[in-house]
Amino acid sequence: MSAQLDPVVLNDWFVVSAAHTLLPGEPLLTQLLGVAIAVWREADDSLHAARHGADEVCGKYKVCERYGYIWVSLGKPVRDIYSLPEFTQPGRRFVDCGSFGVKASGLRIIENFLDMGHFPFVHTDILGKEPHTEVKDYKVETDAETQELWATECRFWQPRAAASATDGLDVEYTYRVMQPFTSALYKTCPTRADERDVIGLYVQPVSEEECKVALWMLLFDDMHTDGELIAFQQTIFGQDKPILESQLPKLIPLDPRSEIPTRADASSIAYRRWLREIGLQYGVQKAA
Ligand SMILES: [Fe+2]
């Protein structure tokens, strides 16, 4: 029940669908934060969300369309959806790479997304390759105005950084965590030296231990079809999925004494500290 939900997630926005797939007359029945919901578009294009199976329409939720997706909040959102100016930048292609169901905490998905250390071992010959295993030092800070977490000046050598890459590249990354379950990265664009490709994740926590992950990109790439670009990202995520589903404990431990990471990764430590600071409880391992 939403009344018992952690207020941090109750009053936040979550993506539940790509906007182009929500058509009038075809309501989406899904689950968000353990709550069964229906989301639908009327013929006049207006959007609606409510508890699914409720006898009366007393559980209507806030819903909006932004950046190519449908967003729902089960509570009273304390702030607007984050800023993404690249979405309307001329020449960029927005690519909806589909949605994956993952039997893991959504927080594990974001933590893994931020981790460069696994590239050579999990995404071998694509995002990394031995002996190029070093994660060089980078900066991590919280933006004082937006409270977003940023990791900047990240660099990693990659054999095939993007579908448009023709050779190995020393790739620069910036990571951004806009919400506990929302992250994006900005990385060297192989075809435009003055621009960065943007790749992001919207995680819909179905429950504390299960989620749906929507993958998207905003790219400069005139050579590849949507299908080719989507296949590239799906290959990457398909390599992450079984590892994410096997991670234990299922809920993320935030007490720094409760887990000694096997890979002491700066972004993982910063992400967990940031989650502690905002007081997140949902998807977090409870103290014994
Ligand atoms: Fe990965």
Side-chain angles (χ1 to χ4, degrees):
M1 298 292 287
S2 59
Q4 299 165 336
L5 269 176
D6 169 7
V8 175
V9 289
L10 175 66
N11 298 317
D12 207 352
W13 290 102
F14 293 91
V15 160
V16 296
S17 171
H20 67 93
T21 62
L22 189 68
L23 304 173
E26 298 178 25
L28 168 71
L29 303 180
T30 187
Q31 186 170 302
L32 175 62
L33 301 163
V35 179
I37 63 169
V39 185
W40 68 97
R41 191 192 292 275
E42 298 282 2
D44 65 0
D45 215 33
S46 61
L47 293 166
H48 305 267
R51 272 188 67 196
H52 175 50
D55 295 335
E56 48 192 291
V57 185
C58 60
K60 287 202 88 173
Y61 300 122
K62 290 192 180 300
V63 56
C64 68
E65 183 170 337
R66 192 77 59 88
Y67 308 141
Y69 288 89
I70 306 295
W71 300 69
V72 171
S73 175
L74 299 186
K76 295 177 179 152
V78 289
R79 57 183 181 170
D80 197 6
I81 293 165
Y82 75 98
S83 171
L84 183 64
E86 291 85 359
F87 190 76
T88 51
Q89 188 180 2
R92 271 191 199 273
R93 284 170 67 184
F94 168 70
V95 185
D96 161 19
C97 300
S99 171
F100 290 79
V102 187
K103 288 186 167 35
S105 159
L107 303 172
R108 293 270 190 203
I109 312 294
I110 300 294
E111 184 178 55
N112 178 70
F113 183 68
L114 300 174
D115 170 40
M116 288 180 288
H118 76 287
F119 287 166
F121 311 106
V122 178
H123 308 298
T124 311
D125 295 331
I126 306 175
L127 300 185
K129 186 176 186 177
E130 293 184 84
H132 304 276
T133 57
E134 184 191 5
V135 178
K136 301 180 183 78
D137 286 345
Y138 54 90
K139 290 184 183 170
V140 184
E141 57 193 359
T142 302
D143 184 292
E145 190 179 332
T146 63
Q147 301 307 308
E148 295 178 3
L149 181 68
W150 287 79
T152 58
E153 300 178 23
C154 311
R155 295 196 324 279
F156 208 84
W157 187 87
Q158 300 194 325
R160 191 174 175 227
S164 59
T166 52
D167 212 344
L169 271 180
D170 200 19
V171 178
E172 289 186 16
Y173 273 81
T174 294
Y175 288 96
R176 177 184 183 191
V177 182
M178 301 80 110
Q179 300 164 257
F181 295 86
T182 301
S183 186
L185 61 82
Y186 301 73
K187 67 185 286 189
T188 303
C189 172
T191 60
R192 295 269 298 259
D194 55 336
E195 295 287 355
R196 297 280 188 100
D197 286 339
V198 189
I199 299 170
L201 294 181
Y202 295 130
V203 178
Q204 173 189 345
V206 171
S207 68
E208 287 195 285
E209 297 186 6
E210 193 172 342
C211 62
K212 288 182 184 168
V213 182
L215 289 173
W216 56 269
M217 299 189 287
L218 284 164
L219 306 178
F220 291 98
D221 184 327
D222 300 325
M223 298 177 291
H224 294 86
T225 64
D226 277 4
E228 289 167 331
L229 295 170
I230 292 167
F232 184 85
Q233 283 308 312
Q234 291 195 344
T235 298
I236 302 289
F237 197 77
Q239 293 170 333
D240 283 313
K241 187 173 184 278
I243 294 167
L244 290 161
E245 292 184 333
S246 65
Q247 284 180 327
L248 292 173
K250 298 300 275 184
L251 301 185
I252 202 166
L254 290 192
D255 183 340
R257 296 164 301 180
S258 65
E259 185 186 53
I260 300 167
T262 50
R263 267 192 326 261
D265 183 88
S267 63
S268 168
I269 293 165
Y271 177 57
R272 291 185 184 198
R273 185 184 305 133
W274 183 80
L275 294 174
R276 274 200 302 277
E277 285 170 0
I278 63 175
L280 186 84
Q281 296 296 315
Y282 194 86
V284 171
Q285 195 179 46
K286 311 299 179 283

